[in-house]
């Protein structure tokens, strides 16, 4: 397990700003019911918030095998809500029980996946403390990444993939020699659009 904490920019959004902006969001829902949920987990640091990312373990048959991602997964029949799904999966994957260390801020737009058509619902959590994480067999790496370093463009990169005989290039972020792209990149962009749409004023 590694830590990718980075120096935040002077105008990095604060956790309080994240709370206010996300709480004001009216998230879009898809026509199809989401079958999965993830937790976008933030913590405050002296130089700005950090977001929690994992690298999924390599598993044959998993369409997101080895990908950088948020903790989360498919809804179980026994889950009373999708928020519960995100909490349960985060606890299973990392040993992190979100309600014990923080609070739910809100949710973002539902995001359909291109590979399977599965719809994923992202929930935003802010944690007040971060106990030692205990990744299970589904997780190879854990990274806390400065939000400002992702929003500033300094981590911008591309990911190339060959599909159906053609080479495709996708936007992404470089984190600890890995590339965040695809579904997780799209969810981060949704979060950043929420934060950048209402930048703090001098009296905010």
């Amino acid at each position: 397990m590694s830590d990718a904490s980075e120096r935040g920019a002077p105008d990095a959004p604060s956790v309080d700003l994240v709370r206010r902006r996300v709480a004001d969001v009216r998230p879009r829902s898809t026509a199809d019911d989401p079958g999965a949920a993830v937790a976008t987990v933030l913590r405050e640091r002296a130089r700005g918030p950090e977001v929690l990312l994992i690298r999924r373990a390599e598993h044959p048959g998993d369409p997101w095998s080895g990908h950088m991602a948020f903790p989360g997964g498919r809804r179980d029949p026994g889950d009373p809500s999708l928020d519960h799904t995100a909490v349960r999966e985060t606890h299973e994957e990392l040993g992190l029980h979100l309600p014990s260390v923080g609070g739910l801020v809100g949710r973002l737009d539902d995001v359909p996946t291109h590979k399977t058509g599965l719809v994923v619902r992202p929930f935003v959590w802010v944690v007040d403390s971060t106990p030692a994480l205990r990744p299970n067999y589904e997780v190879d790496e854990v990274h806390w990444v400065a939000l400002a370093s992702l929003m500033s463009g300094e981590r911008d990169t591309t990911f190339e993939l060959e599909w159906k005989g053609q080479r495709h290039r996708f936007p992404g972020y470089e984190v600890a020699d890995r590339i965040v792209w695809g579904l997780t990149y799209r969810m981060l962009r949704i979060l950043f659009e929420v934060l950048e749409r209402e930048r703090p004023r001098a009296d905010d």
Side-chain angles (χ1 to χ4, degrees), residues 79-173:
D79 290 341
S81 65
L82 281 162
D83 176 37
H84 179 88
T85 300
V87 169
R88 175 184 55 75
E89 287 281 344
T90 301
H91 188 249
E92 290 175 2
E93 293 175 353
L94 297 173
L96 177 63
H97 185 240
L98 291 169
S100 299
V101 294
L104 176 63
V105 175
R107 74 173 181 89
L108 303 174
D109 296 347
D110 293 344
V111 182
T113 64
H114 295 318
K115 283 188 175 183
T116 66
L118 180 72
V119 176
V120 181
R121 178 165 291 176
F123 291 89
V124 179
W125 282 78
V126 171
V127 295
D128 302 314
S129 62
T130 49
L133 302 179
R134 302 185 304 277
N136 72 356
Y137 68 95
E138 299 176 86
V139 178
D140 268 355
E141 300 172 8
V142 179
H143 303 279
W144 286 101
V145 186
L147 209 61
S149 71
L150 296 167
M151 297 179 69
S152 68
E154 67 183 80
R155 291 185 179 272
D156 287 359
T157 188
T158 56
F159 179 81
E160 293 190 1
L161 176 70
E162 188 167 339
W163 187 58
K164 293 185 177 181
Q166 293 187 333
R167 199 75 177 169
H168 299 268
R169 180 175 292 178
F170 300 92
Y173 300 118

Side-chain angles (χ1 to χ4, degrees), residues 28-39:
R28 291 189 293 268
S29 300
T30 61
D32 297 324
D33 289 335
V38 298

Side-chain angles (χ1 to χ4, degrees), residues 16-28:
D16 285 341
L17 177 67
V18 173
R19 284 192 179 100
R20 294 198 302 272
R21 297 297 184 252
V22 174
D24 287 342
V25 167
R26 294 183 179 178
R28 291 189 293 268

Side-chain angles (χ1 to χ4, degrees), residues 67 111 114 159 170-172 179-188:
H67 284 206
V111 182
H114 295 318
F159 179 81
F170 300 92
I179 298 179
V180 181
W181 69 287
L183 180 66
T184 304
Y185 176 87
R186 287 157 58 201
M187 289 188 284
L188 281 168

